[in-house]
Amino acid sequence: MVMSSSAAPSAADVLHARYAGRLPASLEKLAGPRHGVVELPLHVAWSGLRSYDLERPRLRMGLYRTVLAEGQHEDLVAFLNRDLLLAQWPVLRTLVSRHLREVWEGTFPELLAATGSAAA
């Protein structure tokens, strides 16, 4: 019996690669709206709520959580706003998966800085 020497990637590796492949080059690329109502396309919000009022903090948090988890690169830059992401990150980071959080914080140290300043 011959065993293959290359093991299949772990689920964690697959998730890390999935999230990392969608990232913008920098947080400055996140130029989504700061105000108003955002309607997500079906490929992002395929179940449940699709329309989010950015003036309502709970809905805004839900939008960011959904786009971070389900959005493609183009969705991230179209629907997320750098300043809103930084302001919400201390709470938002507790609402997303560990894999997503590690990829974003590992790539964008300013997110960790925002978390540290919020705790101070």
Side-chain angles (χ1 to χ4, degrees), residues 48-109:
L49 192 62
R50 289 188 52 217
S51 183
Y52 297 85
D53 183 350
L54 295 178
E55 306 307 320
R56 299 181 60 190
R58 188 175 294 248
L59 290 177
R60 185 174 58 239
M61 194 73 70
L63 169 82
Y64 275 64
R65 183 178 180 193
T66 299
V67 173
L68 285 167
E70 303 297 335
Q72 298 301 313
H73 172 82
E74 298 78 21
D75 302 312
L76 297 173
V77 298
F79 297 115
L80 302 182
N81 177 280
R82 176 196 173 275
D83 295 337
L84 291 179
L85 179 66
L86 286 170
Q88 295 183 131
W89 191 254
V91 173
L92 185 58
R93 71 184 302 275
T94 68
L95 302 174
V96 298
S97 74
R98 175 177 54 91
H99 304 292
L100 193 148
R101 181 175 58 250
E102 288 173 356
V103 166
W104 278 79
E105 289 179 348
T107 305
F108 305 115

